[in-house]
Amino acid sequence: MSGPDPAPFLSQADDTDDGPAPGTPGLPGSLGSSKSEDPGVADREGLQRITGLSPRRSALVVAVLCYINLLNYMDRFTVAGVLPDIEQFFSIGDSSSGLIQTVFISSYMVLAPVFGYLGDRYNRKYLMCGGIAFWSLVTLGSSFIPRERFWLLLLTRGLVGVGEASYSTIAPTLIADLFVADQRSRMLSVFYFAIPVGSGLGYIAGSKVKDVAGDWHWALRVTPGLGVVAVLLLFLVVREPPRGAVERHSDSPPLSPTSWWADLRALARNPSFILSSLGFTAVAFVTGSLALWAPAFLLRSRVVLGETPPCLPGDSCSSSDSLIFGLITCLTGVLGVGLGVETSRRLRRSNPRADPLVCAAGLLGSAPFLFLSLACARGSIVATYIFIFIGETLLSMNWAIVADILLYVVIPTRRSTAEAFQIVLSHLLGDAGSPYLIGLISDRLRRSWPPSFLSEFRALQFSLMLCAFVGALGGAAFLGTAIFIEGDRRRAQLHVQGLLRETGPTDDRIVVPQRGRSTRVPVSSVLI
């Protein structure tokens, strides 16, 4: 392990990096020979020269980022694992319970563009260190809130979004600056394995720590200690690679950041980015709803089936559903992410639109299984778990592929901003409001029926059926992405190589040889 980066605190480490000299063997666009089959992709030796990190060190950086991502989602869903106990402790209903997740996601969403702007211009490692340290302190403080201060729990969950925004917008761009092509896809799949696995561990840790300690507050005290370890690992292991160097030709100048408004205009004119973000918004809506409400729904199903006693005021809610759902989430996440990446990698050889098509297939395929899992809950809890397993596996196929799409249709100096605004869009229309919306619909339906455990179950069942419809809409958005993906990917590649300039929405031109001299022609004519 090496010490801290030589770059000044919060400075852009690669501002003065002009890249290697032309003709260096193994680098993209060089005059020397490359060991890679693709002359535009650096080999391992070339990547090491560009990034200053050995392959082993780069893999270790990804492992640290993966650990923090796992911790990130583990903390997020620990609350869902003890939600029935939180409802009893604070004496709140379904709509207020959904508000816990909505406040957190809203804060996370608002702060993401701030860290996206900073992540494209300053030292990313130190931004993540500060954010994770703050998040750990706030999470620990939220475990000491008295029962009459529910508003304070909402406030602390909102502040947790500061730390998560500082990490989620920046970490994928570090991986993009360390690897290219299939290597990047594989490393992103490892990184995004942590989302479902961390979510599942959150349910498991929440329920089991509560059972061991006899108090749900201790479930919120697990991740802060692990957060301190994360900060130390970030500081000692992670180094700041030069932005975009692994993708540009060795004789092209390094990319310089443009203004924030220029970045936004370029992203707004990128249909693949917009449509894939809308598709991912549907994924966020569905996963956000299931993450908070699935364990509570399964508990109510067991009560209606007579398999478990109801959760009465003043009693601890005893159920194995949080543990089982957590295990299912872990397993389906590993299967789904791996299945999605491998399917896309194989289909990409014959179909350049494979990535968005696999995402569309995953979402459209998950919708009927999620609907069946809800419809069968009153008849068989086993059938419900089987359909949830299949539906979540198909849903998880999207995670790594969506991130890869963003990284190859957006140039390196805009990626943190693009990550940030994808987060804003997916949470604003997705999981920022979906838990509260599901809870609100459930409460409204319950008021129209006589009070009973059956009415509580039916109200939540009908409100969760909205997820299947939203999933189908997301699949349609990914089908739209497939129409534009080839052209947008090529434009990003040409821009990184210095062959395409962006001066306005009508002036996308590329330098090509024509009749013995260099001539600027519209990029669309080359793509056609």
Side-chain angles (χ1 to χ4, degrees):
M1 296 182 183
S2 66
D5 294 0
F9 182 72
L10 288 185
S11 70
Q12 182 172 323
D14 49 331
D15 277 343
T16 59
D17 188 345
D18 292 326
T24 303
L27 300 188
S30 68
L31 300 176
S33 62
S34 173
K35 297 177 184 177
S36 174
E37 294 180 2
D38 183 353
V41 177
D43 58 19
R44 288 189 176 185
E45 184 180 353
L47 285 174
Q48 184 171 347
R49 287 198 184 98
I50 297 171
T51 62
L53 299 175
S54 66
R56 182 177 297 179
R57 181 64 178 275
S58 296
L60 186 59
V61 169
V62 174
V64 172
L65 296 178
C66 187
Y67 164 74
I68 301 172
N69 203 31
L70 185 146
L71 191 61
N72 174 6
Y73 280 85
M74 181 177 170
D75 173 78
R76 187 183 298 187
F77 294 110
T78 296
V79 171
V82 293
L83 187 62
D85 295 274
I86 293 176
E87 286 185 326
Q88 294 296 333
F89 184 80
F90 290 104
S91 300
I92 55 176
D94 286 349
S95 58
S96 296
S97 298
L99 199 58
I100 296 173
Q101 190 77 344
T102 296
V103 167
F104 159 72
I105 295 296
S106 299
S107 168
Y108 174 46
M109 173 185 68
V110 169
L111 292 166
V114 176
F115 285 100
Y117 176 86
L118 296 174
D120 279 333
R121 291 159 177 82
Y122 300 104
N123 190 294
R124 292 170 284 188
K125 182 176 90 170
Y126 294 123
L127 287 171
M128 289 190 293
C129 285
I132 294 170
F134 179 80
W135 154 73
S136 299
L137 289 173
V138 173
T139 301
L140 181 62
S142 68
S143 68
F144 296 98
I145 296 172
R147 66 178 67 243
E148 65 274 7
R149 296 285 189 271
F150 176 67
W151 63 269
L152 192 55
L153 178 66
L154 294 179
L155 176 62
T156 55
R157 293 308 295 175
L159 292 175
V160 166
V162 176
E164 297 213 18
S166 70
Y167 177 76
S168 297
T169 57
I170 293 174
T173 68
L174 283 172
I175 297 175
D177 289 334
L178 292 172
F179 302 96
V180 290
D182 283 347
Q183 283 182 306
R184 177 190 290 171
S185 297
R186 292 190 187 98
M187 290 301 173
L188 283 172
S189 67
V190 172
F191 178 76
Y192 283 103
F193 274 137
I195 294 180
V197 173
S199 302
L201 289 177
Y203 294 114
I204 295 169
S207 60
K208 299 312 291 182
V209 171
K210 178 203 72 173
D211 291 342
V212 172
D215 184 359
W216 67 268
H217 291 88
W218 282 98
L220 302 182
R221 297 166 188 167
V222 174
T223 53
L226 299 175
V228 174
V229 177
V231 173
L232 292 175
L233 289 174
L234 264 178
F235 188 76
L236 296 174
V237 175
V238 176
R239 290 183 61 190
E240 179 86 356
R243 287 174 174 84
V246 295
E247 295 168 88
R248 67 175 182 258
H249 286 312
S250 58
D251 56 352
S252 62
L255 295 175
S256 299
T258 52
S259 71
W260 193 58
W261 289 112
D263 291 348
L264 296 185
R265 285 195 299 270
L267 293 174
R269 298 197 304 268
N270 189 328
S272 295
F273 170 73
I274 297 296
L275 288 170
S276 63
S277 296
L278 288 173
F280 189 65
T281 298
V283 177
F285 186 100
V286 176
T287 55
S289 301
L290 294 178
L292 190 71
W293 288 115
F297 172 73
L298 293 167
L299 173 61
R300 294 181 190 185
S301 175
R302 288 186 182 276
V303 171
V304 170
L305 292 171
E307 296 181 5
T308 190
C311 186
L312 300 174
D315 295 339
S316 177
C317 299
S318 178
S319 172
S320 60
D321 292 302
S322 289
L323 176 62
I324 297 173
F325 186 73
L327 292 172
I328 288 176
T329 302
C330 288
L331 185 56
T332 57
V334 172
L335 289 176
V337 172
L339 178 64
V341 170
E342 186 60 22
T343 302
S344 178
R345 187 181 69 83
R346 291 177 181 273
L347 291 179
R348 210 180 291 159
R349 299 169 185 168
S350 57
N351 189 343
R353 297 184 174 94
D355 286 351
L357 291 177
V358 170
C359 289
L363 264 178
L364 293 173
S366 69
F369 287 105
L370 292 177
F371 179 84
L372 288 172
S373 70
L374 298 169
C376 294
R378 192 177 175 186
S380 171
I381 196 70
V382 175
T384 297
Y385 274 123
I386 291 173
F387 288 129
I388 286 176
F389 185 94
I390 299 172
E392 285 210 324
T393 299
L394 294 171
L395 196 63
S396 297
M397 291 172 64
N398 291 272
W399 289 107
I401 302 176
V402 171
D404 207 10
I405 290 174
L406 182 149
L407 293 173
Y408 64 64
V409 301
V410 177
I411 64 173
T413 53
R414 291 181 183 140
R415 283 173 180 162
S416 289
T417 298
E419 291 278 357
F421 278 90
Q422 188 175 81
I423 287 172
V424 169
L425 182 63
S426 63
H427 292 314
L428 180 64
L429 302 178
D431 56 354
S434 64
Y436 178 70
L437 179 62
I438 297 299
L440 186 64
I441 295 173
S442 176
D443 277 349
R444 293 290 175 87
L445 291 173
R446 284 168 61 183
R447 293 193 191 106
S448 62
W449 297 328
S452 67
F453 295 119
L454 177 60
S455 65
E456 291 181 3
F457 163 76
R458 290 177 60 203
L460 191 54
Q461 179 189 42
F462 290 159
S463 61
L464 283 170
M465 286 181 179
L466 179 63
C467 295
F469 176 72
V470 173
L473 291 178
F478 280 119
L479 290 176
T481 306
I483 298 173
F484 301 98
I485 193 75
E486 289 184 272
D488 290 335
R489 174 165 44 196
R490 184 61 179 158
R491 286 185 183 90
Q493 290 172 345
L494 294 173
H495 192 104
V496 170
Q497 295 166 6
L499 299 176
L500 178 66
R501 61 189 179 93
E502 290 184 349
T503 59
T506 61
D507 192 19
D508 280 353
R509 294 181 174 268
I510 179 176
V511 179
V512 298
Q514 193 175 81
R515 297 178 181 177
R517 62 180 181 176
S518 297
T519 306
R520 289 188 178 276
V521 299
V523 69
S524 58
S525 66
V526 178
L527 294 173
I528 293 171

